[in-house]
Amino acid sequence: MIGEATSSGGGGKDDSPAAVSAKKNKKPNYSRFTQQELPACKPILTPGWVITSFIVVGVVFIPIGLASLYASEHVVEIVERYDKDCIPPDYRNNSLHYIQTSKTNKTCTMTINVPKHMKSPVFIYYELDNFYQNHRRYVKSRSDKQLRSKASEGVTETCKPEAVTSNGQPIVPCGLVAWSLFNDTYRFSVKKEVLDVSKKNIAWKSDQEHKFGSDVYPKNFQSGSLIGGGKLNSSIPLSEQVDLIVWMRTAALPNFRKLYGKIEKDLQANTTITVTIENNYNTYSFGGKKKLVLSTTSWIGGKNSFLGRAYIAIGGLCLSLAVCFVFVYVFKPRPLGDPSYLSWNRNPSGQMN
């Protein structure tokens, strides 16, 4: 009797197969959203729709491509390589010694002829080739916390090998990116009249306001035995060091341009510009190239014909496919299926049967 009572009334657990199956079932509650049965646009790609779509894309893309090419062709761009020409003849076979020693004169002069009228502002870029700013160790060698706030001056763990000085003092700004700051300089003149180079608005405003602190000043920068690049004025906060801010925005490719300044004056056609260059930056140790670029801009930016050609190519391809589909549809038509047999037409409400 006791055993029967225990068996029938003890525990209170239902171990029947139906209860066990219900516990193991992880099927979610039915809803039209989870089962993707909400009303949706399900177009049928008939020949008419396909041909029309290709024609629309072609008609839209080709004019955009032509407008982009037109704008690019009206950009005046001058590119002059100077890393080889700025080496004195006596050091042509030993360029590395020339750039590393402090006893050689790094000043050189070159002339640039303006082929067409260049409307202000004329943007000045320096271009480096074979410089891998996108290298993982190089990109990581910086401290964004230190750049933003003076309170984080000692946060240099990610900056090795340019983190601290030999006596343990933090370097501000630390890291290889800042250490390798580009330091060639350019001075421009036309008929002995100096052309002023403006540094206004060459850096991103968001970088100046949010990534580089107004209370952070250079400290112990380029004070070691191995100098990587340019030096910084210790009395100017990092938020106003625009050349550094431009340099710290690392490039994605090994060949890149960075904005140096602007000439806010029109340059007439056939004008001869005399450029005085301080050739300080070492690209000779890794086979890099240095170029000076003067360029105007258009509504699509600088000179870039690829975008216009790409639009024209895609537009032309779409029009060609449209013509091919028209011929196929006219000369070899095939009957379409009855759309009423499609599942969403047989059950338009979306409910499960």
Side-chain angles (χ1 to χ4, degrees):
M1 294 293 292
I2 298 175
E4 292 178 0
T6 304
S7 175
S8 60
K13 294 182 179 180
D14 187 1
D15 295 330
S16 62
V20 172
S21 176
K23 290 179 180 178
K24 291 183 178 180
N25 188 4
K26 296 182 179 180
K27 181 179 179 180
N29 295 330
Y30 170 78
S31 72
R32 297 178 66 188
F33 176 77
T34 58
Q35 298 303 319
Q36 300 183 14
E37 294 177 356
L38 292 174
C41 178
K42 299 175 182 177
I44 302 172
L45 297 179
T46 62
W49 275 107
V50 173
I51 293 171
T52 303
S53 300
F54 277 122
I55 291 176
V56 169
V57 172
V59 169
V60 171
F61 274 40
I62 289 178
I64 294 176
L66 292 175
S68 300
L69 274 181
Y70 179 81
S72 178
E73 289 300 319
H74 281 73
V75 171
V76 183
E77 182 179 273
I78 305 171
V79 182
E80 293 289 342
R81 181 180 175 182
Y82 65 88
D83 56 291
K84 285 187 175 181
D85 295 336
C86 282
I87 300 178
D90 296 341
Y91 291 94
R92 290 291 167 85
N93 297 324
N94 196 2
S95 57
L96 189 59
H97 175 71
Y98 158 78
I99 200 69
Q100 288 180 339
T101 181
S102 59
K103 298 180 180 179
T104 54
N105 182 15
K106 302 296 194 301
T107 304
C108 72
T109 303
M110 63 185 298
T111 57
I112 296 176
N113 294 318
V114 180
K116 298 179 182 179
H117 175 74
M118 301 182 75
K119 189 176 181 181
S120 66
V122 178
F123 293 91
I124 306 167
Y125 302 89
Y126 55 88
E127 181 176 327
L128 298 180
D129 292 357
N130 201 35
F131 190 111
Y132 288 82
Q133 269 199 322
N134 57 355
H135 192 281
R136 183 179 62 87
R137 290 185 64 187
Y138 181 89
V139 172
K140 293 176 65 176
S141 183
R142 59 187 293 166
S143 175
D144 290 321
K145 288 184 178 180
Q146 184 199 65
L147 296 173
R148 283 194 297 265
S149 174
K150 184 179 180 180
S152 302
E153 184 179 279
V155 181
T156 60
E157 292 81 5
T158 59
C159 292
K160 294 179 180 179
E162 291 296 319
V164 296
T165 62
S166 57
N167 58 359
Q169 295 297 315
I171 299 174
V172 183
C174 66
L176 289 175
V177 183
W179 175 79
S180 59
L181 174 64
F182 185 81
N183 62 336
D184 282 7
T185 60
Y186 313 109
R187 294 192 301 275
F188 301 86
S189 62
V190 175
K191 296 179 180 179
K192 296 184 179 181
E193 179 186 351
V194 177
L195 297 177
D196 294 329
V197 177
S198 172
K199 298 282 187 177
K200 185 179 180 181
N201 296 329
I202 67 170
W204 287 23
K205 185 178 179 180
S206 58
D207 287 354
Q208 288 187 270
E209 293 180 351
H210 304 293
K211 293 187 176 182
F212 294 81
S214 58
D215 60 343
V216 183
Y217 291 82
K219 183 179 178 182
N220 301 318
F221 187 69
Q222 302 287 21
S223 60
S225 58
L226 185 61
I227 306 299
K231 297 186 178 182
L232 299 174
N233 190 334
S234 59
S235 63
I236 300 177
L238 295 188
S239 61
E240 297 179 16
Q241 306 266 11
V242 290
D243 289 321
L244 173 70
I245 296 173
V246 171
W247 178 257
M248 293 290 284
R249 184 168 283 275
T250 52
L253 300 174
N255 302 337
F256 58 87
R257 294 177 180 179
K258 290 185 181 290
L259 188 58
Y260 178 83
K262 296 180 290 185
I263 298 175
E264 296 181 337
K265 181 180 180 180
D266 287 6
L267 299 178
Q268 302 301 324
N270 301 318
T271 299
T272 300
I273 304 174
T274 302
V275 187
T276 304
I277 303 172
E278 291 294 330
N279 184 28
N280 300 313
Y281 200 68
N282 181 10
T283 58
Y284 305 99
S285 60
F286 55 88
K289 300 176 184 177
K290 294 190 289 187
K291 299 174 185 177
L292 173 64
V293 181
L294 301 180
S295 177
T296 59
T297 57
S298 66
W299 60 271
I300 61 168
K303 195 174 187 67
N304 182 6
S305 60
F306 172 79
L307 185 63
R309 292 174 181 175
Y311 268 105
I312 293 175
I314 298 299
L317 178 62
C318 288
L319 288 181
S320 301
L321 290 174
V323 172
C324 292
F325 285 151
V326 168
F327 276 103
V328 171
Y329 183 63
V330 170
F331 293 104
K332 288 188 176 182
R334 54 181 295 184
L336 296 177
D338 188 353
S340 64
Y341 286 97
L342 296 173
S343 61
W344 53 85
N345 288 332
R346 286 188 287 109
N347 188 16
S349 63
Q351 296 290 345
M352 296 181 65
N353 294 326

